[in-house]
């Protein structure tokens, strides 16, 4: 149920002075705050906004907030750094905030300004807040599923109780025999957060299964990826990089990558590669990560490399394949 802020939403007397101040500020400014499913939102879009929503990478995460602080303090503060598209404060049933919020700006530059200005900002004496890039988590893990659960059945059930689901993948549970878990990917962080709340409230029924939902942990994600089947040919279909010998030198590929980065005012990329699996036929599975100073999100992934020698070390070949993949990603995103 969506409700505008009113006295009826706060029937208890907790933190009444701050709530009164917030209501007075809302009346004075004409700002409307909308509460839905445990969060209170301003904007998205705000009054007077023209055009579509801002691009990805414009939202910041705000943590370590005093629980009796509200939008009458936070919105003017974060508006001083740039134009706000949306501000979301997470709320408890008692009317206190949950200690964190999200601010989405009109541009990436405004978001950077907010981080520079307000990370470790002393909102009160002895209370420095944390402001950093929002991770925009979109994946949930649903554990405790029975071995007989089918993907189509699960996806149909999820579509009935949540919105914005993009994909469902089933895996054998790494910790429970005769059990399965599912990775659920949603179209946005907000859709995933609302789905998590709905699932925690027990809205999904699948037989007698005692299910648990949580954000997908990066370590579990990597473990599930490592349990996938090895490639059957010299090419891997899907999200992984092609596992083929490449007649390209590392130097040439890196020169292309550096040129693209410099063109967009980013600094020299830094590679990390690690062999994480070797199968009996000599194929090697590599994990790679590439960090570009000036860009806040590292690019990472997995690839298979054939045992055929091309006058390069395995790590050099891994960097060539990774660099080609990153060139494509940067070419599309920048």
């Amino acid at each position: 149920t969506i409700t505008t802020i009113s006295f009826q939403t706060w029937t208890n007397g907790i933190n009444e002075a701050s709530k009164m101040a917030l209501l007075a500020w809302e009346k004075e400014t004409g700002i409307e705050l909308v509460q839905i499913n445990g969060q209170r939102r301003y904007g998205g879009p705000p009054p007077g906004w023209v055009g579509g929503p801002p691009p990805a990478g414009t939202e910041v995460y705000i943590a370590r907030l005093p629980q009796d602080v509200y939008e009458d303090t936070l919105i003017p503060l974060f508006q001083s750094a740039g134009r706000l598209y949306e501000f979301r404060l997470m709320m408890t049933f008692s009317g206190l905030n949950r200690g964190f919020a999200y601010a989405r700006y009109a541009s990436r530059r405004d978001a950077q300004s907010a981080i520079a200005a307000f990370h470790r900002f002393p909102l009160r004496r002895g209370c420095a807040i944390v402001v950093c890039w929002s991770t925009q988590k979109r994946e949930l893990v649903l554990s405790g599923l029975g071995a007989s659960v089918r993907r189509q059945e699960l996806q149909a059930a999820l579509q009935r109780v949540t919105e914005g689901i993009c994909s469902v993948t089933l895996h054998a549970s790494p910790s429970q025999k005769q059990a399965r878990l599912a990775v659920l990917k949603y179209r946005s962080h907000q859709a995933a957060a609302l789905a998590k709340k709905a699932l925690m409230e027990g809205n999904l029924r699948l037989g007698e299964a005692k299910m648990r939902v949580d954000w997908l942990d990066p370590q579990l994600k990597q473990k599930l990826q490592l349990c996938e089947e090895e490639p059957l040919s010299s090419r891997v279909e899907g999200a992984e990089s092609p596992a083929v010998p490449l007649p390209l030198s590392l130097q040439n590929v890196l020169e292309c990558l550096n040129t693209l980065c410099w063109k967009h005012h980013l600094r020299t990329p830094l590679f990390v590669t690690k062999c994480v699996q070797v199968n009996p036929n000599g194929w090697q599975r590599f994990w790679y990560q590439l960090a570009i100073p000036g860009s806040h999100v590292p690019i990472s992934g997995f690839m298979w490399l054939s045992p055929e020698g091309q006058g390069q070390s395995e790590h050099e070949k891994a960097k060539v394949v990774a660099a080609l993949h990153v060139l494509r990603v940067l070419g599309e995103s920048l």
Side-chain angles (χ1 to χ4, degrees), residues 37 161-163 192-204 213:
N37 294 328
V161 297
T162 69
E163 294 183 3
L194 294 176
K196 181 174 182 286
K197 183 175 186 295
L199 295 174
M200 289 179 68
E201 291 173 350
N203 293 329
L204 182 67
V213 64

Side-chain angles (χ1 to χ4, degrees), residues 8 23 33 43 87 103 108 114 138 143 153 185 197 214 217 221-223 232 234 236 266 268 271 276 325 330:
Q8 284 74 24
L23 290 167
L33 303 177
F87 189 91
R108 179 174 167 79
R138 296 191 299 146
S143 56
E153 171 194 8
K185 188 171 184 178
K197 183 175 186 295
D214 209 337
D217 180 83
K221 184 174 182 178
Q222 183 173 347
K223 183 182 289 187
L232 300 177
S234 62
V236 181
L266 301 172
T268 302
F271 275 97
V276 295
H325 172 67
L330 290 179

Side-chain angles (χ1 to χ4, degrees), residues 82-275:
R83 189 180 180 194
L84 275 180
Y85 174 78
E86 183 180 62
F87 189 91
R88 295 184 290 123
L89 183 64
M90 305 301 116
M91 301 297 298
T92 68
F93 287 111
S94 66
L96 295 172
N97 78 61
R98 292 170 58 195
F100 66 100
Y102 296 90
R104 190 176 181 188
Y105 284 90
S107 68
R108 179 174 167 79
R109 179 176 293 180
D110 287 347
Q112 285 178 318
S113 297
I115 293 172
F118 301 127
H119 181 53
R120 298 181 180 174
F121 178 78
L123 196 62
R124 290 180 181 167
R125 186 175 181 180
C127 179
I129 61 176
V130 169
V131 182
C132 58
W133 291 106
S134 171
T135 56
Q136 289 289 292
K137 293 180 180 179
R138 296 191 299 146
E139 292 177 303
L140 302 174
V141 59
L142 190 63
S143 56
L145 299 172
S148 61
V149 171
R150 296 292 176 262
R151 189 186 68 80
Q152 291 85 351
E153 171 194 8
L154 177 58
Q155 186 160 344
L158 287 165
Q159 286 173 338
R160 288 194 292 270
V161 297
T162 69
E163 294 183 3
I165 191 160
C166 297
S167 66
V168 176
T169 56
L170 283 172
H171 305 264
S173 173
S175 57
Q176 294 177 284
K177 292 183 178 180
Q178 302 301 315
R180 307 183 84 183
L181 57 80
V183 174
L184 319 177
K185 188 171 184 178
Y186 285 82
R187 67 169 175 249
S188 67
H189 173 75
Q190 186 172 356
L194 294 176
K196 181 174 182 286
K197 183 175 186 295
L199 295 174
M200 289 179 68
E201 291 173 350
N203 293 329
L204 182 67
R205 303 288 183 185
L206 284 175
E208 300 299 318
K210 294 182 178 180
M211 293 172 290
R212 177 182 173 184
V213 64
D214 209 337
W215 294 109
L216 178 60
D217 180 83
Q219 291 183 337
L220 175 59
K221 184 174 182 178
Q222 183 173 347
K223 183 182 289 187
L224 295 175
Q225 288 173 328
L226 291 174
C227 291
E228 293 172 359
E229 293 183 2
E230 64 195 42
L232 300 177
S233 67
S234 62
R235 258 190 115 69
V236 181
E237 298 299 327
E240 295 201 358
S241 303
V244 293
L246 294 166
L248 296 168
S249 74
L250 179 61
Q251 182 178 352
N252 290 341
V253 176
L254 290 184
E255 282 178 0
C256 293
L257 184 56
N258 288 339
T259 299
L260 181 63
C261 290
W262 294 335
K263 178 181 176 181
H264 294 281
H265 310 291
L266 301 172
R267 296 195 291 276
T268 302
L270 305 173
F271 275 97
V272 178
T273 58
K274 182 179 180 181
C275 182

